[in-house]
Amino acid sequence: MGNIRFLKCRECGKEYEPQFRYVCEECFGPLDVHYLEPKVNRHTFESREKTYWRYFELLPIKDKSNIVSLHAGLTPLQYADKLGARLGLKDVYIKNDSVNPTFSFKDRPAGVAVSRAKETGLKAVGCASTGNLASATAAHAAKAGIPCYIFAPSDIEHAKIAQALSYGAEFVAVEGTYDDANRIASIIGDSKGYGIVNINMRPYYVEGSKTLAYEVAEQLGWQVPDRLIIPVGSGAMLNAICKGFEELHQLGLVDSIKNLKIVAAQPHGCAPVVDAFKKGSDEVIPVERPETIAKSLAIGDPGDGLYVLKRLKQYGGIAEEVNDEEITDGIMLLSQTEGIFTEPAGGVSVGVLKKLVDEGKIDKDEKVVCYVTGNGLKATEAIIGLLPKLSAVKPDAAVVSAMIK
C-alpha cells in the first residue's frame, strides 16, 4: 500500500484497497486515491530532486525503486511582465510545461501511471491519445522496458505521431475521433489486462497532474494565486489541480484556498463544458465531431466534464471558449511577449485570458497563473500561414543592408 490509504468512489464514497481497479462496483463512479497523512512541511522539499517526484509522499508509489523518471516537472513559473503589460495586468505568470522531456504536461500523469504499472507487474501499458499522451506514455514505457500500445485518431499532428513511434510504441491509428480511439483502448485494456494509463489506471494517472498545483504553490513561496487559467480537454487536469491545492491546504502547506478562482478554457468547435456552463446545465452534451486546431483538446465527450462543472461552482469559476483565430492570436501573443512557443492548447489558455480581461471579468491586480501545457513545435501547422513568407537574397552585404530597416 505504501503512501496510499485507500481508493474512494467520488460518487458514493465506497472505499477499496488500492488494487488494479478504476470504477466503483456499486455505482460505477470514478475512484480517487486517498493517502496516509505524511509528515511534511514547507522545508521538506527544498533540497530534493528538481522533478515532480520531490513530492513522493503525495504520489501513489510504494517503493522509490519502481519510479520511472525522465526528470519531468519543476518546470518554469515565468513572471510574464511583458504579456501582463500588453493585457493590462500587473501579476501574471505562465506555468510553462512545454519544456518537459516529451514537451508537454503529460509527462506528469504518464510517468506516475507507468511507474504504478511497473510496481504492480503489468505486462504492457498503453493509452488513448490526441497526441501528447501518446509520446509521454511511449517514452516512459521505453525507459521502463515495458511494451506500449497507442490508440489515437488517424488525423492527429504528424509530429506527434513521429515522436510516439520513435520510442518504439505500437501505434493503432483509429479512423474516427478521440472518443472512438478511447472506446477501443478500453476494450483492449480490459480484455488483455494491459494498463491503459488514462482509462483503467486513471485513479493513479491523474495524480501526476496535481503536481502542477504543488509546484505553482512552492514557486510562489507557498502562496495561493487568485486565479488559474486551465485548458480543458477531458477535464482531468483541472480536477487534479484543484485536488492538489486542497491537499496542500489540508497539510497546512498553504493558507486558505477559499478565494481561489478557476477558469476552464476550451476551443470553439469542441467546448462541451463551456456550453453546459453557459446554459447553467449539469449535463455535458458530447460533441460528436470536434472541429478545432487545438487537437490536444479535441475530446468531444470529456470524462471529467461533470466534475469540472462542480469545481467551477465550488471555486466561483468561469468557463470560456475561443475560436481558431483567437487561439493563433494567443500563440503569437505569448511568443512575441514572453518568448514561449506553445501549441494550440496554450493558445486557448492565453486567448481565454485575453478575452476575459477584455470583458472586464479579471481584475488588473489579480495574481493570475496561466497553464501552458505543450510545445509549439508539435503543431507548427497551426500558425505557419501567419508567419512571414521567406524569400532568398543574394549574398551581397549592400543589398541586405538596404533591406533591413
Side-chain angles (χ1 to χ4, degrees):
M1 290 177 61
N3 306 330
I4 305 175
R5 187 178 174 196
F6 48 68
L7 299 177
K8 185 175 181 179
C9 176
R10 203 180 294 172
E11 291 295 329
C12 72
K14 184 176 174 61
E15 298 174 4
Y16 297 89
E17 291 294 312
Q19 299 168 337
F20 183 46
R21 66 166 69 240
Y22 62 105
V23 293
C24 177
E25 63 186 23
E26 296 290 333
C27 70
F28 302 105
L31 303 180
D32 290 323
V33 179
H34 288 255
Y35 295 85
L36 299 168
E37 187 167 316
K39 294 179 180 179
V40 295
N41 58 50
R42 292 179 178 182
H43 301 295
T44 300
F45 314 105
E46 289 176 352
S47 61
R48 291 188 175 181
E49 62 179 296
K50 298 185 184 303
T51 78
Y52 63 80
W53 289 108
R54 66 200 279 112
Y55 309 110
F56 173 75
E57 293 89 345
L58 302 170
L59 292 170
I61 302 299
K62 178 181 179 180
D63 187 338
K64 287 185 177 181
S65 67
N66 291 314
I67 290 176
V68 180
S69 177
L70 299 181
H71 302 279
L74 209 63
T75 54
L77 182 68
Q78 183 165 321
Y79 176 54
D81 56 331
K82 299 292 191 299
L83 175 64
R86 187 75 68 87
L87 297 179
L89 298 173
K90 294 181 179 179
D91 209 8
V92 183
Y93 296 82
I94 299 296
K95 181 56 173 168
N96 182 13
D97 251 32
S98 71
V99 298
N100 273 316
T102 70
F103 310 110
S104 88
F105 88 98
K106 292 293 189 180
D107 283 331
R108 299 172 186 272
V112 171
V114 173
S115 298
R116 181 71 186 179
K118 177 183 176 182
E119 187 159 77
T120 52
L122 299 184
K123 58 186 178 181
V125 296
C127 68
S129 176
T130 52
N132 285 331
L133 181 58
S135 298
T137 304
H140 284 86
K143 177 70 173 176
I146 301 173
C148 181
Y149 299 87
I150 304 299
F151 302 83
S154 57
D155 66 346
I156 66 171
E157 293 95 330
H158 290 177
K160 292 178 180 176
I161 297 173
Q163 186 185 5
L165 290 176
S166 76
Y167 301 121
E170 185 166 331
F171 199 90
V172 181
V174 178
E175 292 183 1
T177 66
Y178 168 82
D179 298 302
D180 294 318
N182 190 79
R183 177 175 53 83
I184 296 300
S186 179
I187 294 169
I188 297 300
D190 287 348
S191 64
K192 293 185 176 293
Y194 295 169
I196 307 300
V197 298
N198 56 334
I199 301 177
N200 57 18
M201 298 197 72
R202 198 170 184 85
Y204 308 104
Y205 163 87
V206 297
E207 293 295 283
S209 295
K210 73 182 183 182
T211 60
L212 282 161
Y214 298 165
E215 288 179 20
V216 163
E218 186 177 2
Q219 289 168 320
L220 288 175
W222 300 105
Q223 293 181 342
V224 178
D226 297 310
R227 190 179 298 267
L228 307 176
I229 313 292
I230 305 173
V232 169
S234 72
M237 183 178 78
L238 185 147
N239 192 56
I241 289 172
C242 291
K243 183 175 188 275
F245 275 105
E246 289 166 357
E247 289 175 345
L248 292 178
H249 177 60
Q250 290 163 5
L251 291 169
L253 296 175
V254 298
D255 296 329
S256 175
I257 58 173
K258 64 183 179 63
N259 293 323
L260 177 63
K261 295 182 177 63
I262 304 294
V263 175
Q266 290 198 294
H268 180 73
C270 190
V273 173
V274 176
D275 292 341
F277 176 82
K278 291 189 173 182
K279 292 175 183 175
S281 173
D282 291 329
E283 181 183 7
V284 178
I285 299 174
V287 176
E288 291 188 9
R289 293 288 169 184
E291 294 184 12
T292 173
I293 62 170
K295 301 290 187 185
S296 63
L297 300 180
I299 299 176
D301 189 7
D304 276 16
L306 290 175
Y307 299 105
V308 171
L309 292 176
K310 290 180 180 179
R311 292 297 194 182
L312 295 179
K313 290 180 181 178
Q314 180 182 358
Y315 289 102
I318 301 171
E320 189 54 86
E321 65 181 5
V322 282
N323 60 33
D324 284 355
E325 182 178 355
E326 291 169 314
I327 293 170
T328 55
D329 285 349
I331 294 171
M332 299 299 286
L333 177 61
L334 185 62
S335 292
Q336 293 173 9
T337 56
E338 295 301 326
I340 296 172
F341 182 33
T342 179
E343 67 171 5
V348 170
S349 298
V350 176
V352 165
L353 173 62
K354 182 179 185 302
K355 187 172 186 177
L356 294 178
V357 170
D358 291 345
E359 293 175 353
K361 295 178 179 177
I362 294 181
D363 187 87
K364 66 178 181 180
D365 294 322
E366 289 186 34
K367 187 185 296 292
V368 179
V369 173
C370 188
Y371 285 94
V372 167
T373 51
N375 197 291
L377 291 175
K378 292 190 170 202
T380 54
E381 64 271 24
I383 61 156
I384 203 73
L386 304 176
L387 303 177
K389 300 295 185 287
L390 304 182
S391 57
V393 61
K394 294 184 181 299
D396 184 314
V399 173
V400 174
S401 181
M403 290 174 56
I404 297 175
K405 298 178 181 178

